[in-house]
Amino acid sequence: MATGRPGRHFRKTSPEAVPRNPLSGPGSLLRAGPLRLFLLGLVALALAGCGAKTPAPPPGGWSKAPATQRPYTIKGKTYHPIPSADGYVEEGVASWYGRDFHGKPTSCGEIYDMHKLTAAHKILPMHTTLKVTNLDNGRSVTVRVNDRGPFVSGRVIDMSFAGAKALDMHVKGTTRVRLESVGGIPGATSARDLPGPFYVQIGAFVNERNAQRLLTVIKRAGYHNSRIHSKDVGGERFFRVHAGTFATLSEAERARSRLSGEYRDAFVIGE
């Protein structure tokens, strides 16, 4: 793809793993799966659809900004790249891409080399250096962002084949990871106060009645804008209970901390 384009729309990787937790707790409610992510990337940002404040354009307007720093829209969602990776931390699901894209241009114009330690991210500045840790086995690797993606729901980073192999996730296809910026881009504010709305996922069910029960409980606890969000995964529909809403990521993380006492695998998500 040409320089400045947002990146690939789809990737050929293993399907997202969806945990099946045993029933537990009052009323046999299914606790949230072990994906303790905060989907900062996805949050940031379908701004047109969620009414959040759109980031102000840089001096001179968006036309003066580097092509990879301009807002872009994929499948109806608009993403606003952030100006800096300073202090950036994120947890979620990683996937990887390889031979199908080897030798083709990335979003920043470089030629993708599956054997180099690079990665794709939806909103981080190009050439951001990230430490990526596999939360399932503790392995870590440092990669450089040179592409946009992944645009598969629930994933926060697409690793090169070399990066995936370093994390020992190249056979499985996906794994839970933590992203931590190494250094940053000068002049950035922290990504922690990106505009929302944000939610905290506290449960996932295959039985809609169980989801409705938990929704009633969480609304009575004062989270009046909570909701049920359904999604088909692997041919099966899951009903996810989202406590909310929260105006910024910081607010959502504080709520997650409170809720994690009762819902230990609670995690933050965004629109």
Side-chain angles (χ1 to χ4, degrees), residues 31-52:
R31 293 294 178 88
L35 295 174
R36 293 178 306 111
L37 87 150
F38 58 82
L39 273 176
L40 191 57
L42 272 188
V43 174
L45 293 139
L47 292 174
C50 65

Side-chain angles (χ1 to χ4, degrees), residues 2 12 18 22 24 29 31 42 51 54 74 114 117-118 138 146 150 154 163 174 182 194 206 216 228 258:
K12 295 182 180 179
V18 177
S24 63
L29 297 178
R31 293 294 178 88
L42 272 188
T54 302
I74 297 292
M114 61 186 281
L117 294 174
T118 59
N146 72 342
T174 60
V182 179
L194 284 171
V206 293
T216 299
I228 292 175
R258 293 193 301 269

Side-chain angles (χ1 to χ4, degrees), residues 56-174:
W62 290 118
S63 63
K64 300 295 184 181
T68 56
Q69 285 298 110
R70 299 172 193 167
Y72 63 95
T73 301
I74 297 292
K75 298 174 66 176
K77 291 189 177 183
T78 299
Y79 300 88
H80 292 260
I82 60 178
S84 169
D86 187 35
Y88 194 91
V89 179
E90 182 177 12
E91 291 186 8
V93 175
S95 50
W96 67 272
Y97 63 117
R99 193 167 303 281
D100 287 348
F101 300 97
H102 186 68
K104 297 180 180 179
T106 64
S107 294
C108 74
E110 293 181 3
I111 299 303
Y112 175 62
D113 185 339
M114 61 186 281
H115 302 296
K116 291 185 177 180
L117 294 174
T118 59
H121 194 277
K122 289 182 281 291
I123 63 168
L124 286 174
M126 290 295 153
H127 312 300
T128 294
T129 301
L130 288 174
K131 177 184 177 183
V132 184
T133 301
N134 186 334
L135 296 177
D136 290 337
N137 62 21
R139 293 194 179 191
S140 294
V141 66
T142 299
V143 298
R144 180 175 58 88
V145 174
N146 72 342
D147 207 356
R148 288 291 179 228
F151 301 108
V152 176
S153 178
R155 298 182 189 177
V156 298
I157 193 170
D158 241 356
M159 306 287 288
S160 66
F161 171 74
K165 191 172 182 179
L167 295 179
D168 194 25
M169 60 167 284
H170 58 296
V171 175
K172 180 181 177 183
T174 60

Side-chain angles (χ1 to χ4, degrees), residues 26-29 208-218 228:
S28 295
L29 297 178
E208 187 176 6
R209 289 185 179 180
N210 285 342
Q212 290 288 351
R213 290 175 190 166
L214 183 54
L215 181 65
T216 299
V217 169
I218 201 65
I228 292 175

Side-chain angles (χ1 to χ4, degrees), residues 25 103 122 137 205 238 248 251:
K122 289 182 281 291
N137 62 21
F205 307 83
F238 286 80
T248 67
E251 288 182 24

